[in-house]
Short mmCIF file of all heavy atoms in Angstrom, two decimals:
data_model
loop_
_atom_site.label_atom_id
_atom_site.label_comp_id
_atom_site.label_asym_id
_atom_site.label_seq_id
_atom_site.Cartn_x
_atom_site.Cartn_y
_atom_site.Cartn_z
N ARG J 1 -87.79 30.50 54.11
CA ARG J 1 -88.38 29.13 53.88
C ARG J 1 -88.18 28.64 52.48
O ARG J 1 -88.86 27.74 52.01
CB ARG J 1 -89.85 29.24 54.22
CG ARG J 1 -90.18 29.61 55.64
CD ARG J 1 -91.67 29.76 55.93
NE ARG J 1 -92.41 28.46 55.70
CZ ARG J 1 -92.50 27.59 56.57
NH1 ARG J 1 -92.00 27.64 57.78
NH2 ARG J 1 -93.25 26.48 56.22
N MET J 2 -87.15 29.15 51.80
CA MET J 2 -86.95 28.76 50.36
C MET J 2 -86.50 27.29 50.20
O MET J 2 -86.70 26.80 49.16
CB MET J 2 -85.85 29.71 49.68
CG MET J 2 -86.54 30.98 49.29
SD MET J 2 -85.30 32.00 48.45
CE MET J 2 -86.32 33.33 47.76
N THR J 3 -86.02 26.70 51.23
CA THR J 3 -85.54 25.31 51.10
C THR J 3 -86.66 24.33 51.40
O THR J 3 -86.43 23.08 51.21
CB THR J 3 -84.33 24.99 52.04
OG1 THR J 3 -84.80 25.12 53.45
CG2 THR J 3 -83.19 25.89 51.86
N ILE J 4 -87.90 24.78 51.75
CA ILE J 4 -88.97 23.84 52.00
C ILE J 4 -89.57 23.27 50.65
O ILE J 4 -89.78 22.19 50.57
CB ILE J 4 -89.99 24.49 52.88
CG1 ILE J 4 -89.35 24.80 54.31
CG2 ILE J 4 -91.27 23.67 53.11
CD1 ILE J 4 -90.22 25.51 55.25
N PRO J 5 -89.86 24.23 49.71
CA PRO J 5 -90.32 23.64 48.45
C PRO J 5 -89.20 23.04 47.62
O PRO J 5 -88.07 23.14 47.91
CB PRO J 5 -90.96 24.91 47.73
CG PRO J 5 -90.43 26.07 48.39
CD PRO J 5 -89.87 25.64 49.74
N GLN J 6 -89.65 22.39 46.54
CA GLN J 6 -88.62 21.90 45.61
C GLN J 6 -88.28 22.99 44.53
O GLN J 6 -89.15 23.48 43.75
CB GLN J 6 -89.29 20.67 44.85
CG GLN J 6 -89.67 19.59 45.78
CD GLN J 6 -90.42 18.42 45.15
OE1 GLN J 6 -90.58 17.40 45.79
NE2 GLN J 6 -90.94 18.61 43.93
N THR J 7 -86.95 23.40 44.52
CA THR J 7 -86.59 24.54 43.81
C THR J 7 -85.41 24.31 42.83
O THR J 7 -84.76 23.26 43.00
CB THR J 7 -86.25 25.64 44.80
OG1 THR J 7 -85.24 25.28 45.63
CG2 THR J 7 -87.52 26.13 45.60
N ASN J 8 -85.22 25.26 41.91
CA ASN J 8 -84.06 25.25 41.01
C ASN J 8 -83.46 26.67 40.92
O ASN J 8 -84.21 27.64 40.74
CB ASN J 8 -84.49 24.80 39.63
CG ASN J 8 -85.10 23.42 39.55
OD1 ASN J 8 -86.23 23.16 40.05
ND2 ASN J 8 -84.26 22.55 39.08
N PHE J 9 -82.16 26.70 41.13
CA PHE J 9 -81.40 28.03 41.06
C PHE J 9 -80.35 27.81 39.88
O PHE J 9 -79.74 26.79 39.78
CB PHE J 9 -80.73 28.37 42.37
CG PHE J 9 -79.74 29.49 42.17
CD1 PHE J 9 -80.19 30.84 42.06
CD2 PHE J 9 -78.39 29.25 42.03
CE1 PHE J 9 -79.23 31.88 41.91
CE2 PHE J 9 -77.49 30.26 41.97
CZ PHE J 9 -77.92 31.53 41.82
N LYS J 10 -80.19 28.88 39.17
CA LYS J 10 -79.08 28.78 38.14
C LYS J 10 -78.53 30.22 37.87
O LYS J 10 -79.25 31.16 37.82
CB LYS J 10 -79.75 28.27 36.77
CG LYS J 10 -78.73 28.12 35.59
CD LYS J 10 -79.31 27.57 34.42
CE LYS J 10 -79.83 26.15 34.58
NZ LYS J 10 -80.32 25.58 33.35
N LEU J 11 -77.19 30.17 37.64
CA LEU J 11 -76.49 31.40 37.26
C LEU J 11 -75.56 31.07 36.06
O LEU J 11 -74.75 30.07 36.18
CB LEU J 11 -75.67 31.91 38.43
CG LEU J 11 -74.71 33.11 38.17
CD1 LEU J 11 -75.53 34.39 37.78
CD2 LEU J 11 -73.77 33.31 39.33
N GLY J 12 -75.67 31.80 34.98
CA GLY J 12 -74.91 31.47 33.78
C GLY J 12 -74.47 32.55 32.98
O GLY J 12 -74.73 33.72 33.30
N TYR J 13 -73.70 32.19 31.94
CA TYR J 13 -72.99 33.26 31.11
C TYR J 13 -72.98 32.70 29.69
O TYR J 13 -72.55 31.56 29.46
CB TYR J 13 -71.63 33.49 31.59
CG TYR J 13 -70.80 34.39 30.73
CD1 TYR J 13 -71.09 35.84 30.79
CD2 TYR J 13 -69.74 33.99 29.99
CE1 TYR J 13 -70.30 36.73 29.97
CE2 TYR J 13 -68.94 34.86 29.20
CZ TYR J 13 -69.24 36.19 29.24
OH TYR J 13 -68.45 37.10 28.49
N PHE J 14 -73.28 33.51 28.65
CA PHE J 14 -73.25 33.19 27.36
C PHE J 14 -71.78 33.37 26.79
O PHE J 14 -71.30 34.52 26.74
CB PHE J 14 -74.22 33.96 26.45
CG PHE J 14 -75.60 33.39 26.43
CD1 PHE J 14 -76.55 33.83 27.30
CD2 PHE J 14 -75.90 32.40 25.50
CE1 PHE J 14 -77.82 33.30 27.21
CE2 PHE J 14 -77.12 31.89 25.46
CZ PHE J 14 -78.16 32.21 26.32
N ILE J 15 -71.11 32.36 26.41
CA ILE J 15 -69.79 32.45 25.87
C ILE J 15 -69.76 32.76 24.37
O ILE J 15 -68.81 33.28 23.76
CB ILE J 15 -68.95 31.13 26.18
CG1 ILE J 15 -69.61 29.96 25.56
CG2 ILE J 15 -68.73 31.01 27.67
CD1 ILE J 15 -68.87 28.62 25.77
N THR J 16 -70.98 32.46 23.71
CA THR J 16 -71.17 32.80 22.35
C THR J 16 -72.60 33.25 22.21
O THR J 16 -73.34 33.23 23.20
CB THR J 16 -70.88 31.70 21.30
OG1 THR J 16 -71.85 30.71 21.44
CG2 THR J 16 -69.47 31.06 21.61
N ASP J 17 -73.12 33.62 21.02
CA ASP J 17 -74.50 33.97 20.82
C ASP J 17 -75.45 32.79 21.10
O ASP J 17 -76.54 32.94 21.49
CB ASP J 17 -74.72 34.43 19.44
CG ASP J 17 -74.28 35.83 19.20
OD1 ASP J 17 -74.04 36.51 20.35
OD2 ASP J 17 -74.10 36.29 18.05
N HIS J 18 -74.90 31.52 20.95
CA HIS J 18 -75.72 30.38 21.10
C HIS J 18 -75.40 29.37 22.38
O HIS J 18 -76.29 28.77 22.82
CB HIS J 18 -75.74 29.51 19.91
CG HIS J 18 -76.37 30.08 18.69
ND1 HIS J 18 -77.73 30.26 18.54
CD2 HIS J 18 -75.77 30.69 17.56
CE1 HIS J 18 -78.02 30.89 17.36
NE2 HIS J 18 -76.87 31.13 16.87
N TYR J 19 -74.20 29.52 22.80
CA TYR J 19 -73.67 28.58 23.71
C TYR J 19 -73.50 29.29 25.14
O TYR J 19 -72.88 30.40 25.15
CB TYR J 19 -72.42 27.85 23.39
CG TYR J 19 -72.63 26.87 22.29
CD1 TYR J 19 -72.44 27.18 20.93
CD2 TYR J 19 -73.24 25.66 22.56
CE1 TYR J 19 -72.64 26.34 19.90
CE2 TYR J 19 -73.45 24.71 21.42
CZ TYR J 19 -73.22 25.13 20.12
OH TYR J 19 -73.47 24.22 19.13
N SER J 20 -73.89 28.53 26.22
CA SER J 20 -73.73 29.23 27.48
C SER J 20 -73.19 28.08 28.52
O SER J 20 -73.36 26.97 28.30
CB SER J 20 -75.07 29.73 28.06
OG SER J 20 -76.01 28.62 28.28
N ILE J 21 -72.54 28.55 29.61
CA ILE J 21 -72.22 27.67 30.74
C ILE J 21 -72.86 28.28 31.99
O ILE J 21 -73.17 29.50 32.08
CB ILE J 21 -70.68 27.71 30.95
CG1 ILE J 21 -70.15 29.15 31.03
CG2 ILE J 21 -69.97 26.93 29.77
CD1 ILE J 21 -68.61 29.23 31.39
N SER J 22 -73.22 27.32 32.95
CA SER J 22 -73.87 27.69 34.07
C SER J 22 -73.64 26.85 35.26
O SER J 22 -73.17 25.73 35.08
CB SER J 22 -75.46 27.79 33.81
OG SER J 22 -75.87 26.44 33.62
N ILE J 23 -73.91 27.35 36.53
CA ILE J 23 -73.83 26.47 37.67
C ILE J 23 -75.22 26.63 38.27
O ILE J 23 -75.90 27.63 38.21
CB ILE J 23 -72.73 26.91 38.64
CG1 ILE J 23 -72.91 28.46 38.96
CG2 ILE J 23 -71.33 26.62 38.12
CD1 ILE J 23 -71.97 28.85 40.07
N GLY J 24 -75.65 25.58 39.03
CA GLY J 24 -76.95 25.70 39.65
C GLY J 24 -77.13 24.60 40.71
O GLY J 24 -76.27 23.74 40.91
N VAL J 25 -78.28 24.68 41.30
CA VAL J 25 -78.62 23.68 42.38
C VAL J 25 -80.06 23.28 42.15
O VAL J 25 -80.98 24.17 42.06
CB VAL J 25 -78.57 24.34 43.86
CG1 VAL J 25 -78.99 23.27 44.90
CG2 VAL J 25 -77.13 24.80 44.14
N ASP J 26 -80.27 21.98 41.89
CA ASP J 26 -81.57 21.37 41.75
C ASP J 26 -81.97 20.78 43.12
O ASP J 26 -81.40 19.77 43.54
CB ASP J 26 -81.62 20.28 40.73
CG ASP J 26 -81.32 20.79 39.27
OD1 ASP J 26 -81.14 22.04 39.15
OD2 ASP J 26 -81.28 20.08 38.43
N HIS J 27 -82.82 21.47 43.85
CA HIS J 27 -83.20 21.06 45.16
C HIS J 27 -84.43 20.21 45.04
O HIS J 27 -85.60 20.61 45.05
CB HIS J 27 -83.50 22.34 46.02
CG HIS J 27 -83.93 22.05 47.46
ND1 HIS J 27 -83.07 21.59 48.37
CD2 HIS J 27 -85.16 22.11 48.03
CE1 HIS J 27 -83.66 21.42 49.55
NE2 HIS J 27 -84.99 21.70 49.33
N MET J 28 -84.22 18.82 44.85
CA MET J 28 -85.23 17.90 44.71
C MET J 28 -85.52 17.24 46.15
O MET J 28 -84.79 17.44 46.97
CB MET J 28 -84.86 16.84 43.65
CG MET J 28 -84.60 17.36 42.33
SD MET J 28 -84.11 16.13 41.08
CE MET J 28 -82.36 15.88 41.46
N LYS J 29 -86.65 16.51 46.17
CA LYS J 29 -86.93 15.72 47.36
C LYS J 29 -87.26 14.31 47.02
O LYS J 29 -88.10 14.08 46.07
CB LYS J 29 -88.03 16.51 48.14
CG LYS J 29 -87.69 17.82 48.69
CD LYS J 29 -88.83 18.47 49.50
CE LYS J 29 -88.43 19.90 49.92
NZ LYS J 29 -87.43 19.88 51.01
N TYR J 30 -86.77 13.42 47.74
CA TYR J 30 -86.93 11.96 47.56
C TYR J 30 -87.44 11.28 48.85
O TYR J 30 -86.78 11.35 49.79
CB TYR J 30 -85.61 11.44 47.10
CG TYR J 30 -85.48 9.94 46.85
CD1 TYR J 30 -85.43 9.42 45.60
CD2 TYR J 30 -85.47 9.02 47.92
CE1 TYR J 30 -85.39 8.12 45.39
CE2 TYR J 30 -85.37 7.70 47.71
CZ TYR J 30 -85.32 7.17 46.41
OH TYR J 30 -85.25 5.78 46.12
N VAL J 31 -88.67 10.72 48.72
CA VAL J 31 -89.22 10.02 49.89
C VAL J 31 -89.45 8.58 49.46
O VAL J 31 -90.31 8.28 48.74
CB VAL J 31 -90.59 10.67 50.26
CG1 VAL J 31 -91.09 10.03 51.52
CG2 VAL J 31 -90.26 12.14 50.60
N MET J 32 -88.74 7.63 50.13
CA MET J 32 -88.94 6.21 49.88
C MET J 32 -90.34 5.85 50.40
O MET J 32 -90.79 6.23 51.50
CB MET J 32 -87.90 5.39 50.63
CG MET J 32 -87.95 3.90 50.26
SD MET J 32 -87.01 2.87 51.30
CE MET J 32 -88.15 2.75 52.71
N ASP J 33 -91.09 5.08 49.63
CA ASP J 33 -92.38 4.68 49.99
C ASP J 33 -92.35 3.62 51.08
O ASP J 33 -91.68 2.63 50.89
CB ASP J 33 -93.14 4.08 48.73
CG ASP J 33 -93.34 5.20 47.72
OD1 ASP J 33 -93.50 6.30 47.99
OD2 ASP J 33 -93.36 4.77 46.52
N ASN J 34 -93.04 3.86 52.21
CA ASN J 34 -93.08 2.88 53.35
C ASN J 34 -94.33 2.09 53.34
O ASN J 34 -95.24 2.30 52.50
CB ASN J 34 -93.00 3.67 54.67
CG ASN J 34 -91.61 4.08 55.04
OD1 ASN J 34 -91.18 5.25 54.90
ND2 ASN J 34 -90.78 3.15 55.53
N ASN J 35 -94.36 1.15 54.21
CA ASN J 35 -95.61 0.26 54.46
C ASN J 35 -95.89 -0.45 53.17
O ASN J 35 -97.15 -0.67 52.88
CB ASN J 35 -96.80 1.08 54.98
CG ASN J 35 -96.41 1.70 56.21
OD1 ASN J 35 -95.93 1.10 57.20
ND2 ASN J 35 -96.70 3.05 56.35
N ARG J 36 -94.85 -0.95 52.39
CA ARG J 36 -95.09 -1.75 51.27
C ARG J 36 -94.12 -3.02 51.43
O ARG J 36 -93.07 -2.90 51.92
CB ARG J 36 -94.76 -1.02 49.98
CG ARG J 36 -95.61 0.24 49.78
CD ARG J 36 -95.42 0.90 48.49
NE ARG J 36 -96.27 2.00 48.31
CZ ARG J 36 -96.28 2.78 47.22
NH1 ARG J 36 -95.63 2.48 46.17
NH2 ARG J 36 -97.06 3.93 47.21
N LYS J 37 -94.59 -4.14 50.88
CA LYS J 37 -93.75 -5.33 50.88
C LYS J 37 -92.76 -5.26 49.79
O LYS J 37 -93.00 -4.93 48.66
CB LYS J 37 -94.59 -6.56 50.69
CG LYS J 37 -95.30 -7.03 52.04
CD LYS J 37 -95.95 -8.36 51.90
CE LYS J 37 -96.52 -8.83 53.24
NZ LYS J 37 -97.03 -10.21 53.17
N LYS J 38 -91.42 -5.45 50.24
CA LYS J 38 -90.39 -5.48 49.33
C LYS J 38 -89.49 -6.69 49.53
O LYS J 38 -89.47 -7.17 50.61
CB LYS J 38 -89.59 -4.16 49.41
CG LYS J 38 -90.34 -2.92 49.04
CD LYS J 38 -90.60 -2.80 47.65
CE LYS J 38 -91.33 -1.59 47.28
NZ LYS J 38 -91.72 -1.54 45.80
N THR J 39 -88.71 -7.04 48.53
CA THR J 39 -87.86 -8.20 48.57
C THR J 39 -86.55 -7.73 49.28
O THR J 39 -85.93 -6.64 48.86
CB THR J 39 -87.43 -8.70 47.20
OG1 THR J 39 -88.70 -9.24 46.62
CG2 THR J 39 -86.45 -9.94 47.30
N VAL J 40 -86.21 -8.47 50.32
CA VAL J 40 -84.98 -7.99 51.13
C VAL J 40 -84.00 -9.19 51.09
O VAL J 40 -84.34 -10.35 51.26
CB VAL J 40 -85.33 -7.72 52.56
CG1 VAL J 40 -84.12 -7.31 53.34
CG2 VAL J 40 -86.35 -6.55 52.64
N ASN J 41 -82.72 -8.86 50.82
CA ASN J 41 -81.61 -9.87 50.92
C ASN J 41 -80.57 -9.33 51.82
O ASN J 41 -80.19 -8.11 51.79
CB ASN J 41 -81.02 -10.04 49.45
CG ASN J 41 -81.85 -10.96 48.59
OD1 ASN J 41 -82.01 -12.17 48.85
ND2 ASN J 41 -82.52 -10.37 47.55
N GLY J 42 -79.95 -10.29 52.64
CA GLY J 42 -78.94 -9.85 53.49
C GLY J 42 -79.12 -10.44 54.90
O GLY J 42 -79.85 -11.44 55.11
N TYR J 43 -78.53 -9.71 55.90
CA TYR J 43 -78.69 -10.24 57.35
C TYR J 43 -78.65 -8.94 58.24
O TYR J 43 -78.18 -7.91 57.94
CB TYR J 43 -77.53 -11.15 57.69
CG TYR J 43 -76.20 -10.49 57.81
CD1 TYR J 43 -75.81 -9.89 59.11
CD2 TYR J 43 -75.35 -10.38 56.74
CE1 TYR J 43 -74.61 -9.27 59.21
CE2 TYR J 43 -74.17 -9.66 56.86
CZ TYR J 43 -73.73 -9.13 58.09
OH TYR J 43 -72.57 -8.51 58.26
N ILE J 44 -79.27 -9.18 59.38
CA ILE J 44 -79.28 -8.24 60.47
C ILE J 44 -78.88 -9.07 61.74
O ILE J 44 -79.60 -9.97 62.02
CB ILE J 44 -80.61 -7.49 60.60
CG1 ILE J 44 -80.92 -6.70 59.41
CG2 ILE J 44 -80.52 -6.57 61.83
CD1 ILE J 44 -82.37 -6.15 59.38
N ASN J 45 -77.87 -8.72 62.49
CA ASN J 45 -77.44 -9.44 63.66
C ASN J 45 -76.99 -8.47 64.71
O ASN J 45 -75.86 -8.49 65.14
CB ASN J 45 -76.33 -10.47 63.33
CG ASN J 45 -76.01 -11.31 64.46
OD1 ASN J 45 -76.91 -11.64 65.34
ND2 ASN J 45 -74.78 -11.84 64.42
N LEU J 46 -77.96 -7.60 65.23
CA LEU J 46 -77.57 -6.54 66.14
C LEU J 46 -77.50 -7.16 67.57
O LEU J 46 -78.17 -8.23 67.84
CB LEU J 46 -78.69 -5.54 66.18
CG LEU J 46 -78.77 -4.69 64.86
CD1 LEU J 46 -79.99 -3.68 64.91
CD2 LEU J 46 -77.51 -3.93 64.48
#
């Protein structure tokens, strides 16, 4: 169930005493707020 919370994974390596390189995944979650009035521009013609 590790993908259910918002998580951060990182794996890295120090190329010098001070500098490092890494790869990672920031697992964030984005929920657009509903039931609010917003300005809409464009058309719908289904």
Side-chain angles (χ1 to χ4, degrees):
R1 297 175 63 84
M2 279 184 168
T3 62
I4 294 177
Q6 300 170 170
T7 56
N8 297 78
F9 168 79
K10 182 180 292 185
L11 175 65
Y13 176 75
F14 275 96
I15 55 177
T16 72
D17 283 343
H18 293 286
Y19 290 99
S20 66
I21 54 176
S22 64
I23 55 173
V25 178
D26 295 357
H27 180 72
M28 300 179 279
K29 293 181 185 289
Y30 177 104
V31 181
M32 189 194 77
D33 297 327
N34 280 103
N35 300 313
R36 300 187 182 184
K37 281 192 174 182
K38 295 295 179 182
T39 301
V40 181
N41 281 292
Y43 72 90
I44 301 171
N45 188 25
L46 299 176

